[in-house]
Amino acid sequence: MVSSSLPRLEAPSPAYICPYDQACSYLEEAAKELKLNQGFVEVLSHPRKVVTVSIPVKRDNGEVQVLAGHRVQHCDVLGPYKGGIRYHPAVTLREVSALAMLMTWKCALVGIPYGGAKGGIALDPKFYSVGELERITRRYTSELIKDIGPSIDIPAPDMGTSAREMAWMMDTYSVNVGHAVPGVVTGKPISVGGSRGREMATGRGTMFIVREALADKGESLVGARVAIQGFGNVGSAAALLLHEAGAKVIAVSTGSGGVFSEAGLDIPALKVYAANNRRSVVGFGQAIPISNAELLSLPCDVLIPAALENQITEDNVNQVQARIVAEAANGPVTLAANQALEARGVTVLPDILANAGGVVVSYLEWVQGLSYVFWDEERVNKELESLMVQAYRQVIQQSKIRQIPLRLAAYTLGVGRVAQALGDRGLYP
Ligand code: GLU
């Protein structure tokens, strides 16, 4: 089994779905479709570098706690490693490794010159003060100092991190090397070289992909009924942009529960409410409370899982009534559930396409930083739209030519481009 070379740091429960095994299955499926040489599959099934560091942190009460921080660099044949840093209690080395592999295919699919990476620390940011989070982020960065850099590996925000953490990472790296290095991270604050439009980019990208998928069915965003699981950076941006485009966002949920309104939720008001209620939407007026499970089974045109992986599984897939599922999260639909949805004719817009907007604008941020020329938001959004629509069209075309579902089509494009580069570069020595 290719994935068995990664240590199992967590004790799997019987229902445990290993994210790394799932990622390898998608790779193997794409490789089979492409008739790839087994040697390539072997190379691409293993991350090139796996780093785990200990992060001792002094808590505000004086106690010392030691956290484990990971950074996995999957494959750099197309360019420097790129990928987010996740702060979440469910982070494991296997999850980070799977997400690093997804980043490789995602970057190749949207045509940006990066390899995939991902990092993470298993912690719940809710239980740490700002000062503690800063100390954790700085120590993690300093432990990784030789593994990251503007032409080596460029971290970005992911679940549980934001521009604030990127500023701390950029500062720590810069102080250690002795001069300011804005290009070491993306998703930074504008004040230190961040790009306009980066914060909303993943949600905006999802909106473009959903718009194109509806257009292909002869429909428009106006009046489309949308349910969104997750109201963090990605879910809330997608909700707002879809609402502004005329869609009816009928339900939204967070980890603590959700809200539903047949007439469509007032998303700008919900954003303000969540910001004042520790990011929860529960209790929002003029809406009916619903559970996360209920949200996933609502009759709607578009369901957007924008939270964690493995949300739509064999157990609940039969309850999903949406005609389109747009994966704004990474891996929210399991392998088996994906097959069930595809068999029922549900359009599944795969994660490596539907949530690629974030890394696309990260790339635009990096390009602006390297050229010292900064663009207005309109230009950034236009470039994002053009790269997203182009990738969407290529996936549709690939799906038609090969008569395969969209996910496999997206993977064959991503994996195929990486394999082509791997073959052209050859093996050293
Ligand atoms: N964390 C985001 C993702 O999973 C963005 C990564 C980046 O911008 O490098 O795609």
Side-chain angles (χ1 to χ4, degrees):
M1 185 85 162
V2 280
S3 55
S4 59
S5 59
L6 281 172
R8 252 182 214 281
L9 293 185
E10 71 280 14
S13 70
Y16 175 74
I17 300 166
C18 173
Y20 196 73
D21 289 348
Q22 282 218 128
C24 286
S25 302
Y26 285 131
L27 164 63
E28 277 160 23
E29 215 188 328
K32 207 165 125 203
E33 173 67 30
L34 292 166
K35 301 191 176 51
L36 274 193
N37 171 314
Q38 192 51 34
F40 283 7
V41 182
E42 201 51 41
V43 172
L44 297 173
S45 300
H46 295 84
R48 173 133 182 241
K49 193 167 187 178
V50 177
V51 185
T52 296
V53 295
S54 290
I55 307 165
V57 55
K58 192 178 263 176
R59 303 291 309 253
D60 291 343
N61 64 8
E63 277 173 22
V64 173
Q65 184 186 0
V66 181
L67 299 164
H70 310 294
R71 184 74 180 167
V72 176
Q73 298 171 334
H74 173 252
C75 171
D76 68 345
V77 293
L78 291 178
Y81 296 107
K82 187 84 193 78
I85 305 280
R86 176 172 289 205
Y87 289 178
H88 189 275
V91 162
T92 63
L93 184 54
R94 290 195 147 241
E95 182 202 41
V96 173
S97 305
L99 294 170
M101 189 192 282
L102 281 192
M103 285 305 300
T104 302
W105 318 139
K106 192 188 299 188
C107 294
L109 172 63
V110 292
I112 57 178
Y114 289 133
K118 201 74 157 201
I121 306 177
L123 66 82
D124 190 338
K126 268 204 306 286
F127 301 124
Y128 291 82
S129 68
V130 174
E132 289 170 339
L133 288 171
E134 178 170 355
R135 293 197 286 281
I136 292 166
T137 305
R138 287 186 182 279
R139 182 62 185 255
Y140 173 64
T141 309
S142 126
E143 294 292 339
L144 292 177
I145 212 86
K146 290 198 167 65
D147 296 299
I148 59 173
S151 53
I152 304 172
D153 181 354
I154 308 137
D158 197 87
M159 193 177 292
T161 58
S162 64
R164 180 182 70 178
E165 283 73 17
M166 294 308 112
W168 293 332
M169 289 192 86
M170 180 259 179
D171 183 66
T172 307
Y173 184 86
S174 300
V175 169
N176 273 275
V177 300
H179 57 95
V181 188
V184 66
V185 290
T186 58
K188 307 176 283 291
I190 307 253
S191 61
V192 288
S195 176
R196 299 192 188 279
R198 175 62 183 86
E199 218 175 317
M200 301 280 281
T202 312
R204 191 179 297 279
T206 305
M207 181 271 284
F208 289 140
I209 298 297
V210 169
R211 183 193 70 190
E212 294 301 303
L214 283 167
D216 275 352
K217 292 183 192 296
E219 297 169 36
S220 105
L221 280 177
V222 179
R225 288 161 56 87
V226 183
I228 304 180
Q229 184 199 40
F231 205 56
N233 171 273
V234 181
S236 67
L240 187 65
L241 294 166
L242 287 162
H243 172 84
E244 284 173 2
K248 236 195 240 183
V249 181
I250 56 165
V252 160
S253 67
T254 65
S256 51
V259 283
F260 167 80
S261 162
E262 184 57 48
L265 296 159
D266 178 347
I267 300 298
L270 187 59
K271 275 196 87 163
V272 174
Y273 180 85
N276 294 326
N277 283 279
R278 310 184 104 236
R279 299 203 207 117
S280 169
V281 294
V282 176
F284 180 63
Q286 285 156 29
I288 301 168
I290 53 165
S291 67
N292 256 297
E294 285 167 333
L295 180 138
L296 295 175
S297 59
L298 283 174
C300 59
D301 298 305
V302 186
L303 172 63
I304 305 183
L308 273 179
E309 47 264 36
N310 299 337
Q311 296 303 297
I312 301 174
T313 66
E314 256 176 314
D315 296 335
N316 63 1
V317 68
N318 288 337
Q319 277 123 54
V320 172
Q321 297 187 61
R323 293 185 297 129
I324 297 175
V325 175
E327 294 185 323
N330 287 309
V333 179
T334 64
L335 197 72
N338 180 59
Q339 281 163 356
L341 289 173
E342 283 170 359
R344 268 168 41 200
V346 176
T347 303
V348 184
L349 299 165
D351 45 10
I352 58 170
L353 174 68
N355 72 23
V359 75
V360 166
V361 177
S362 275
Y363 166 65
L364 301 177
E365 176 175 331
W366 186 68
V367 167
Q368 291 170 76
L370 293 178
S371 61
Y372 299 96
V373 177
F374 292 89
W375 310 342
D376 59 24
E377 187 168 347
E378 205 186 324
R379 174 157 179 206
V380 173
N381 292 344
K382 274 258 156 292
E383 298 276 349
L384 168 66
E385 181 171 13
S386 139
L387 284 167
M388 294 300 292
V389 172
Q390 176 179 299
Y392 174 82
R393 296 258 159 265
Q394 290 174 353
V395 170
I396 296 295
Q397 197 187 15
Q398 178 83 329
S399 154
K400 285 195 178 133
I401 293 171
R402 290 184 176 267
Q403 295 285 302
I404 50 177
L406 298 184
R407 184 188 307 278
L408 185 54
Y411 270 76
T412 53
L413 287 171
V415 171
R417 287 170 187 166
V418 175
Q420 173 75 40
L422 191 58
D424 290 345
R425 282 181 60 161
L427 278 191
Y428 172 82

